[in-house]
Amino acid sequence: MVFACDNRVSGGPMGRYARLALAEREEIVLLRRGGSCGGMAGAAGGDKATVSGEMAGDSFAVGSGRCYRASAAQRGCESRRGSCVRPGVLDGERGAGLVRRLVVREHRPPGRIAGGIAVERPGLMVFASAIHRAINERRLDPPGLTRTRRGIRARLRHKGKRRHGRGGPEERRGKIPGARRGGQRPEIVGERSGIGGREGDAVVGKGAGACLVTLVDRRSGLLSGGRCAAHARRDVADVGIGALRRHPESRTVTLDRGRGFADFEKVVQATGAVFCFALPRHPWRRGGNGNTDGLIRECFPKGAGFTAVGEQEVRAVYDAIDHRPRKRHGCRTPWEVHHSTVLHLL
């Protein structure tokens, strides 16, 4: 008889087609003395077929009779259920070794790993959620990986760190006078249905030296901006003016609340773009910009300064990001999506 699986872990009335729990098996042992299967099922409030199948399958011969023990029946049930489970792709060394190599050596995220395996090796189909679960359970940690206590998670972009949740410390940074809130931007910008809406941020290096200004199109993900000689609002405004003039289709810019963008009115007068500032602890307002900053940090890690970095090197990194295929664009690059959309509008 095949018992269907249910989530009961304690005793209770036995039902038809239910997997018995240890307490219910112990109840069968108590009712078994001198009773039939029908009598035991009636006393326990279950079905006769359930009790008879349990007695026939989990009892063992002792001399001329048969003996039934609840603990032995429970171990046998768990053993049979474990042998019926199909082994996962990441349980074998073939799949686990492939994913481990792509994470450790090529620094690929689980989403890109799952998509690449689905195209190149359909026989090893695996979901990104399964890869995340295996990484968090430390099942993919190689023996020689001793970089940090986080194991292989330290090789991911977020380094295995937890995101800050709501209810954190109160925002105490200075407020920018005349700043428009992010909720006041046009609805079409939030829907990402057309180009023209950008998200901005300043990537600061070590010390108070140079920084990078990033302006990302919300629809296509195209990156523009450049290097500032100093993290000062005047220099940041000049770089922003130059970047927006090269892309006159930009109509709105959503920024964080850093003081580097305090001269946004100067950019508004020069370009006519509408500037909005995201609310504190609302990172989803600038999700595309946060993802792009993470790509930049792969080339310029935290703790490194931008004083010795030249404009040509920064431009090369920006171009490489613009020509990087994106999953949300069907493996097309932001440069292709942006320019095809602009040509269609013209």
Side-chain angles (χ1 to χ4, degrees):
M1 180 178 179
V2 178
F3 294 94
C5 175
D6 94 352
N7 296 324
R8 291 181 298 175
V9 295
S10 61
M14 293 183 293
R16 190 179 180 88
Y17 304 116
R19 176 173 58 89
L20 298 179
L22 179 59
E24 294 170 336
R25 290 188 168 93
E26 293 176 349
E27 188 176 357
I28 291 177
V29 173
L30 296 177
L31 298 174
R32 183 174 177 272
R33 300 176 181 176
S36 62
C37 293
M40 288 186 290
D47 192 87
K48 177 182 177 180
T50 303
V51 178
S52 62
E54 177 72 12
M55 298 296 300
D58 292 317
S59 60
F60 52 93
V62 177
S64 59
R66 299 189 66 83
C67 180
Y68 176 84
R69 292 181 180 178
S71 58
Q74 184 71 17
R75 287 195 301 269
C77 178
E78 295 175 355
S79 176
R80 291 191 297 271
R81 293 183 66 231
S83 62
C84 293
V85 177
R86 177 183 176 183
V89 176
L90 300 179
D91 293 337
E93 184 59 29
R94 182 187 177 190
L98 175 61
V99 174
R100 187 184 301 114
R101 177 178 60 83
L102 294 176
V103 173
V104 176
R105 297 183 181 180
E106 302 185 17
H107 302 280
R108 292 191 186 182
R112 290 184 60 194
I113 293 176
I117 291 178
V119 175
E120 300 173 2
R121 304 187 182 186
L124 290 177
M125 182 70 69
V126 62
F127 293 99
S129 59
I131 299 177
H132 277 292
R133 184 164 54 251
I135 292 176
N136 292 332
E137 293 175 357
R138 310 295 293 269
R139 290 190 283 116
L140 296 180
D141 288 355
L145 185 61
T146 58
R147 180 179 176 183
T148 62
R149 292 181 300 173
R150 294 189 295 271
I152 198 175
R153 290 186 298 174
R155 302 302 177 94
L156 300 177
R157 179 188 298 179
H158 295 290
K159 313 302 180 186
K161 299 178 182 178
R162 296 182 177 179
R163 297 180 181 270
H164 296 288
R166 298 184 181 181
E170 182 181 357
E171 181 66 44
R172 297 182 179 180
R173 291 183 295 177
K175 297 182 179 180
I176 300 177
R180 182 196 300 262
R181 292 187 176 181
Q184 300 176 358
R185 62 188 179 186
E187 295 182 359
I188 189 174
V189 179
E191 297 174 356
R192 299 188 180 185
S193 56
I195 63 173
R198 289 186 173 268
E199 300 173 359
D201 193 11
V203 181
V204 183
K206 184 177 181 180
C211 68
L212 303 182
V213 176
T214 59
L215 295 173
V216 183
D217 186 79
R218 289 176 58 84
R219 171 65 180 86
S220 63
L222 187 72
L223 173 62
S224 60
R227 175 182 176 275
C228 293
H231 187 207
R233 50 183 168 180
R234 181 181 302 176
D235 296 337
V236 173
D238 292 340
V239 173
I241 291 174
L244 294 179
R245 283 179 176 175
R246 289 192 298 269
H247 297 279
E249 71 278 0
S250 301
R251 296 185 297 272
T252 63
V253 181
T254 304
L255 304 172
D256 66 351
R257 307 182 71 83
R259 298 292 294 179
F261 296 100
D263 274 357
F264 73 96
E265 294 182 353
K266 178 181 178 181
V267 186
V268 171
Q269 295 176 0
T271 62
V274 178
F275 277 67
C276 306
F277 289 83
L279 297 175
R281 297 183 295 278
H282 285 65
W284 57 90
R285 296 282 187 177
R286 297 169 46 254
N289 191 255
N291 179 71
T292 304
D293 289 352
L295 297 176
I296 292 177
R297 285 299 187 184
E298 291 185 358
C299 300
F300 303 109
K302 289 186 177 181
F306 299 111
T307 304
V309 178
E311 182 66 29
Q312 297 297 330
E313 185 178 356
V314 173
R315 179 51 52 192
V317 172
Y318 280 27
D319 291 340
I321 294 176
D322 287 338
H323 290 81
R324 178 188 177 112
R326 302 296 176 88
K327 181 179 178 180
R328 65 187 179 102
H329 293 323
C331 292
R332 292 195 301 167
T333 64
W335 189 91
E336 294 174 348
V337 174
H338 188 86
H339 286 76
S340 62
T341 307
V342 172
L343 293 176
H344 178 72
L345 294 177
L346 295 178

